[in-house]
Amino acid sequence: MENVSESDDVRTSIIHLPDDCLSFIFQRLDNLEDHDSFGLTCHRFLNIQNINRRSLQFQCSLSLLNSPTLSQTTLAVNSDHLHRLLTRFQWLEHLSLSGCTVLNDSSLASLRYPGAKLHSLHLDCCYGVSDDGISTVASFCPNLRVVSLYRCGISDIGLETLARAASLALRCVNLSYCPLVSDFGVKALTQACVQLESVKISNCKSITGVGFINSSPTLGYVDAESCQLEPKGVAGIISGGGVEFLNISGPVSYIGKDGLVPIGSGVASKLRVLNIRMCRTVGDESIKAIAKGCPLLQEWNLALCHEVRVEGWEAVGKWCCSLKRLHVNRCRNLCDQGLLGIRRGCKNLRILHMNGNARLTTTAIEMFKLHRGDVTLRSEEVMVIGPDWGLYTRG
Amino acid sequence: MTKEMFTLKSSDGFLFVVDEAVVHQSVTLSPMVQDCAGREYPINNVTGKILNLVVEYCKNHVVVDGGDSSSSSSSGDALKKWDDEFITQMDLSTVYDLIMAANYLIIKGLFDLACQRVADEIAACKDHEEIRATLGIVSDYTAEEEAEVLKENEWAFD
């Protein structure tokens, strides 16, 4: 088209629109194919596409989420790929490098491009990333809110560096299967990050829980499944007073019978979901304390808690008025009288997961069904309850 | 209560007399309600042809006094139908002018409507070559550059 600027006959073309209008139009294209086609028309449109991209991940990240299938065609993302894409998309807020096993510490230098705009970073299964790489993340991305480091080579040192750099922003952290992270690293995290909301440290064998002492009241979600928790550690985890979701399931050797009594001390009064599945040694005193001290409890998983006996079950029935969902699969010492205690109480109960309870008679179960038609009985044993660490929101 | 009337003057000298309810739909023009009743208000970067369409849109979007958006879904549907016909019958060149006018005058509904029309046009194209043809864009890509972008696009997921 000719561009004789003063002539009234010149028809307006899309290229006459300013960039912000082009961005608005671009934002109304709702699929990736259209975004890519838009960017391929000319360099100016490519720039519009690039500055509007907020989230990026790779095919290996998707395969990780869905199911680990051995796909030969999956791209093995290396430093060059990452560099090219991060220089293109400098306004990213969400980046997932999960499954990018070829990446190493120096690859992360490209994070300088999104830099302070990056809010969430996933490095799950980035086996080549260690403390040096985490330091690089810390130096370029001080506004990170969500960080996932499942199976990364991070240690206490890297965690402390990251926590200090992103202390005001960090909200959700996943450190599951990071064996080099201990109570010291957790302490650095909880002391530096005053807005911390959600922490997943499952399967970190070096963690007893004491690193959580004096954590912020904003901490609402803790997943410490299969850690080596001690009673002091459990008390520490809830010490901030804001915990709503707690998972301490798994074989906990050091908890003992009364190890969970601190949960009922009043500090965890906001607790809504509690998973103590497989805490085989936990006894009635702990259960009574929790039932009394956590009036808002809505879901409680006690599967395989063999040491819970009549007194404990009766306490659950008597005190757990908000309980909607209860799991008692394979509890060896749930007997008829215990079930009666539940039946007579827990007036808000809707779902009961129950199977493999050797001491229960069929009669007791039938009586339960008769009197509590409002409760659905399910036999399946559920290991994972509550929201995912990254999806937890307060309230 | 007498209705206040305002006169808008386009860049090419056309005059449009509108009432307060129309003026208020433009965030840019809204403050003039206090000052300019009776005087001509120049809108220097919008031609008469486009300003006419803007005024037509605003007249149709005047909110009935005391009514709220939940008053009836059927009137909401009728308005949407009007919007669709209004924007679809225009050629793209006019739509672009309308986008710039609505952007300047800050009339959100009209701006969104016009941008969506362009987006729909783009989405209907099957690839970037068709987009270039439809929108009249000249490519400044070399063959190598285009191949590189295509390759990078294959790596990137949302």
Side-chain angles (χ1 to χ4, degrees):
Chain A
M1 296 262 144
E2 277 76 40
N3 50 344
V4 180
S5 45
E6 302 306 320
S7 163
D8 278 335
D9 293 338
V10 170
R11 292 173 63 71
T12 316
S13 159
I14 193 168
I15 60 168
H16 295 127
L17 293 179
D19 276 2
D20 60 345
C21 292
L22 288 175
S23 277
F24 275 110
I25 293 169
F26 174 83
Q27 285 160 16
R28 280 168 170 72
L29 299 170
D30 53 21
N31 70 60
L32 193 52
E33 246 181 66
D34 287 338
H35 291 180
D36 286 342
S37 303
F38 185 94
L40 280 164
T41 55
C42 63
H43 277 99
R44 187 169 166 223
F45 278 32
L46 181 67
N47 188 48
I48 300 288
Q49 177 193 10
N50 292 344
I51 63 178
N52 274 288
R53 189 168 197 147
R54 295 288 170 268
S55 124
L56 177 65
Q57 64 172 329
F58 299 91
Q59 191 175 16
C60 48
S61 321
L62 290 168
S63 328
L64 207 75
L65 277 174
N66 299 331
S67 63
T69 50
L70 293 169
S71 168
Q72 254 80 15
T73 55
T74 307
L75 176 76
V77 178
N78 63 28
S79 301
D80 178 59
H81 300 127
L82 188 60
H83 184 258
R84 280 165 68 168
L85 288 180
L86 292 185
T87 48
R88 240 183 97 175
F89 305 119
Q90 301 200 14
W91 293 82
L92 287 178
E93 292 179 355
H94 308 280
L95 175 62
S96 173
L97 302 172
S98 297
C100 298
T101 54
V102 176
L103 294 178
N104 56 28
D105 288 337
S106 54
S107 317
L108 297 180
S110 302
L111 287 174
R112 67 165 20 93
Y113 297 110
K117 302 171 219 99
L118 203 61
H119 289 162
S120 101
L121 178 63
H122 289 240
L123 295 168
D124 299 335
C125 296
C126 289
Y127 306 128
V129 171
S130 68
D131 284 343
D132 279 347
I134 300 301
S135 288
T136 306
V137 172
S139 64
F140 288 133
C141 307
N143 292 326
L144 278 179
R145 292 178 199 164
V146 176
V147 176
S148 188
L149 299 164
Y150 165 77
R151 291 197 191 267
C152 274
I154 186 176
S155 79
D156 289 342
I157 299 171
L159 185 54
E160 181 167 7
T161 311
L162 181 62
R164 293 229 178 123
S167 60
L168 296 176
L170 211 52
R171 281 175 179 41
C172 306
V173 184
N174 179 5
L175 296 159
S176 64
Y177 285 96
C178 294
L180 301 174
V181 172
S182 76
D183 291 317
F184 290 110
V186 173
K187 182 175 177 185
L189 180 68
T190 58
Q191 295 314 296
C193 299
V194 293
Q195 300 285 347
L196 199 61
E197 288 176 9
S198 160
V199 176
K200 180 165 170 146
I201 46 162
S202 49
N203 290 286
C204 292
K205 299 302 182 194
S206 322
I207 288 181
T208 68
V210 296
F212 283 95
I213 292 173
N214 288 326
S215 44
S216 163
T218 56
L219 185 64
Y221 182 110
V222 177
D223 183 342
E225 181 191 331
S226 295
C227 294
Q228 295 299 316
L229 299 180
E230 295 172 1
K232 267 189 316 177
V234 173
I237 288 175
I238 55 168
S239 61
V243 173
E244 296 183 334
F245 172 95
L246 179 60
N247 181 1
I248 50 176
S249 63
V252 274
S253 344
Y254 307 118
I255 286 290
K257 264 182 148 288
D258 300 340
L260 297 187
V261 166
I263 298 182
S265 64
V267 182
S269 58
K270 294 196 177 138
L271 201 60
R272 288 187 285 132
V273 177
L274 177 62
N275 190 349
I276 59 171
R277 179 180 174 276
M278 258 213 254
C279 290
R280 296 192 180 95
T281 56
V282 167
D284 288 343
E285 288 309 308
S286 294
I287 303 305
K288 271 164 38 182
I290 295 171
K292 285 186 198 173
C294 303
L296 301 180
L297 204 51
Q298 289 178 13
E299 183 167 3
W300 196 351
N301 192 337
L302 289 139
L304 292 162
C305 291
H306 301 312
E307 284 306 307
V308 182
R309 299 167 188 273
V310 173
E311 247 190 271
W313 297 120
E314 284 181 346
V316 172
K318 182 174 177 190
W319 297 101
C320 295
C321 310
S322 306
L323 201 62
K324 289 190 187 150
R325 205 156 171 161
L326 177 63
H327 306 251
V328 300
N329 309 74
R330 299 195 274 158
C331 291
R332 270 190 221 132
N333 285 306
L334 174 62
C335 61
D336 290 356
Q337 202 180 342
L339 188 62
L340 181 64
I342 297 172
R343 184 186 107 198
R344 282 185 174 156
C346 292
K347 52 184 184 334
N348 279 308
L349 193 64
R350 291 290 160 263
I351 302 175
L352 178 62
H353 290 257
M354 186 168 72
N355 81 314
N357 307 92
R359 289 183 63 186
L360 278 184
T361 64
T362 326
T363 314
I365 298 176
E366 289 309 311
M367 289 298 278
F368 187 98
K369 287 184 195 170
L370 189 68
H371 283 95
R372 293 300 296 267
D374 56 334
V375 178
T376 308
L377 291 177
R378 292 205 184 148
S379 59
E380 74 265 23
E381 188 171 328
V382 177
M383 300 197 302
V384 177
I385 62 174
D388 190 57
W389 68 278
L391 296 174
Y392 161 75
T393 49
R394 175 162 294 285
Chain B
M1 185 169 83
T2 52
K3 251 196 186 168
E4 295 255 39
M5 303 305 282
F6 300 86
T7 307
L8 307 175
K9 184 172 163 185
S10 73
S11 61
D12 44 0
F14 290 97
L15 298 177
F16 298 86
V17 182
V18 295
D19 65 33
E20 208 175 309
V22 167
V23 171
H24 268 310
Q25 291 186 49
S26 157
V27 173
T28 310
L29 295 179
S30 222
M32 84 182 235
V33 166
Q34 266 97 33
D35 314 322
C36 291
R39 296 206 308 257
E40 285 173 10
Y41 189 89
I43 302 182
N44 292 324
N45 38 8
V46 185
T47 62
K49 175 185 167 199
I50 301 302
L51 193 54
N52 188 31
L53 292 168
V54 172
V55 168
E56 193 186 336
Y57 175 89
C58 292
K59 279 184 177 165
N60 257 276
H61 278 254
V62 167
V63 176
V64 172
D65 218 291
D68 57 320
S69 51
S70 64
S71 53
S72 79
S73 62
S74 61
S75 70
D77 286 343
L79 191 58
K80 191 172 180 311
K81 193 153 174 273
W82 187 90
D83 280 353
D84 283 343
E85 281 172 20
F86 176 71
I87 204 75
T88 315
Q89 72 188 324
M90 280 178 223
D91 60 68
L92 280 179
S93 179
T94 311
V95 176
Y96 304 139
D97 286 329
L98 210 53
I99 288 176
M100 290 193 276
N103 192 29
Y104 169 70
L105 294 169
I106 311 180
I107 305 172
K108 186 178 187 317
L110 179 57
F111 183 76
D112 288 349
L113 182 67
C115 285
Q116 188 63 54
R117 164 82 203 278
V118 181
D120 291 344
E121 204 77 31
I122 293 172
C125 297
K126 68 175 191 296
D127 60 20
H128 56 283
E129 281 168 7
E130 198 179 325
I131 298 177
R132 285 180 192 150
T134 309
L135 303 184
I137 299 170
V138 176
S139 168
D140 54 357
Y141 275 102
T142 65
E144 291 81 25
E145 284 170 345
E146 201 172 304
E148 220 174 85
V149 173
L150 276 164
K151 203 164 58 155
E152 286 169 6
N153 288 346
E154 268 174 42
W155 306 336
F157 288 69
D158 252 338

